[in-house]
Amino acid sequence: MAGATIAVASDHAGFDLKEILKRDLREAGHDVLDLGTNSTASVDYPDFGHAMADAIASGRAGKVVVVCGTGIGISIAVNRHPKCRAALAHDVTAARLGREHNDANVVAFGARVIGTEVAREALKVFLKTPFDGGRHAGRVAKLSKG
């Protein structure tokens, strides 16, 4: 997976955590596509969630990391798009199961509710965990149906 392009985005509340995770991704050998925001100045999280969905739909990124204050708002914005499956992860187990059971291509973190080290470990697990397929494949296919 090293070398793959991973997109990152956040709102103002998630900016600092996004920057830490972005650094970790680069150090692990990934190309990083940063779709903003670029400071802690107040912005609207839906704008960045929709930008991430566009990055997935266009093929510019296969996996995505999004961060807002709780992770809830930005994951809702991303999940409005049929090619996106965002898993809100508060810990390593949620990150792993989001990949194994839901084939999540987006991991969402809440900067105000998750510790930095937990987010860093959860991201590593998210990226290395494969989708189990099997009984989960049919369920995941239903997620893309309108």
Side-chain angles (χ1 to χ4, degrees), residues 31-73:
D31 292 327
V32 176
L33 173 63
D34 188 342
L35 297 177
T37 193
N38 299 313
S39 75
T40 57
S42 184
V43 294
D44 297 330
Y45 62 81
D47 298 336
F48 298 94
H50 296 314
M52 297 317 290
D54 290 342
I56 290 172
S58 69
R60 291 184 297 151
K63 294 251 178 12
V64 170
V65 180
V66 293
V67 189
C68 71
T70 63
I72 297 168

Side-chain angles (χ1 to χ4, degrees), residues 22-107:
K22 183 170 74 171
R23 183 191 69 223
D24 287 352
L25 290 167
R26 286 190 173 134
E27 288 175 1
H30 298 286
D31 292 327
V32 176
L33 173 63
D34 188 342
L35 297 177
T37 193
N38 299 313
S39 75
T40 57
S42 184
V43 294
D44 297 330
Y45 62 81
D47 298 336
F48 298 94
H50 296 314
M52 297 317 290
D54 290 342
I56 290 172
S58 69
R60 291 184 297 151
K63 294 251 178 12
V64 170
V65 180
V66 293
V67 189
C68 71
T70 63
I72 297 168
I74 204 162
S75 64
I76 290 170
V78 170
N79 278 325
R80 292 189 177 278
H81 300 271
K83 293 187 180 204
C84 299
R85 291 174 305 282
L88 174 56
H90 293 295
D91 55 33
V92 170
T93 301
R96 179 179 54 79
L97 291 173
R99 286 288 309 129
E100 286 179 353
H101 292 189
N102 308 110
D103 196 19
N105 52 4
V106 178
V107 64

